[in-house]
Amino acid sequence: MQIRKHLAHSTLTATLLLAGAMTLAPTAQAGEQGAASCYGSAHSYSKYDGTADLPAGRLFVTSGNCADINIMPRTNRYIMVCFETASGGSYCPSDYTLARAGEWNVIEYDVPDNTQFYFHFRSAALSNGSWAA
């Protein structure tokens, strides 16, 4: 009798674990597909020596491809995202984020589509890489 209870418990546990794995698999795949779609639409950038803003004198615009503003510099850089205000000024809602070289870094989370923004680098040194938003 004790063996049957143990076997039944083991079978139930295995079934629940399998069901949980099957439920999580589509979610993980959706996240990977979203990231692929976001980064697949990435743009390269080159920020020239002597300026801290990218793009200099212009603005980027977020798309429906990404929920966040992401950057992948070729060298480590401290970066923040700033937004243009209705009065023509700028608003930088957060402090600098260390963007690590060769990997995607989220600089600003949950930004609505068609939002105008620019990157502000702590250093005016030359920087190259990619961005996606």
Side-chain angles (χ1 to χ4, degrees), residues 6-19:
H6 183 63
L7 183 59
H9 179 70
S10 296
T11 303
L12 178 61
T13 302
T15 302
L16 290 174
L17 288 174
L18 181 60

Side-chain angles (χ1 to χ4, degrees), residues 83-89:
F83 302 96
E84 186 173 81
T85 63
S87 63

Side-chain angles (χ1 to χ4, degrees), residues 38-39 43 54-55 59-63 65-73 79-84 91 93-94 97 99 103-121 130-133:
C38 175
Y39 302 143
H43 307 274
L54 176 74
L59 297 168
F60 291 132
V61 178
T62 60
S63 70
N65 297 330
C66 304
D68 307 318
I69 297 175
N70 310 274
I71 196 164
M72 182 172 45
I79 305 168
M80 71 171 65
V81 170
C82 300
F83 302 96
E84 186 173 81
Y91 169 67
S94 57
T97 299
E103 61 187 64
W104 284 107
N105 301 266
V106 177
I107 305 300
E108 195 66 44
Y109 291 89
D110 298 321
V111 181
D113 296 350
N114 299 313
T115 300
Q116 296 182 332
F117 72 96
Y118 64 94
F119 292 103
H120 181 75
F121 290 70
S130 299
W131 67 273

Side-chain angles (χ1 to χ4, degrees), residues 1-6:
M1 186 70 155
Q2 189 69 9
I3 294 174
R4 283 188 198 158
K5 276 185 170 178
H6 183 63

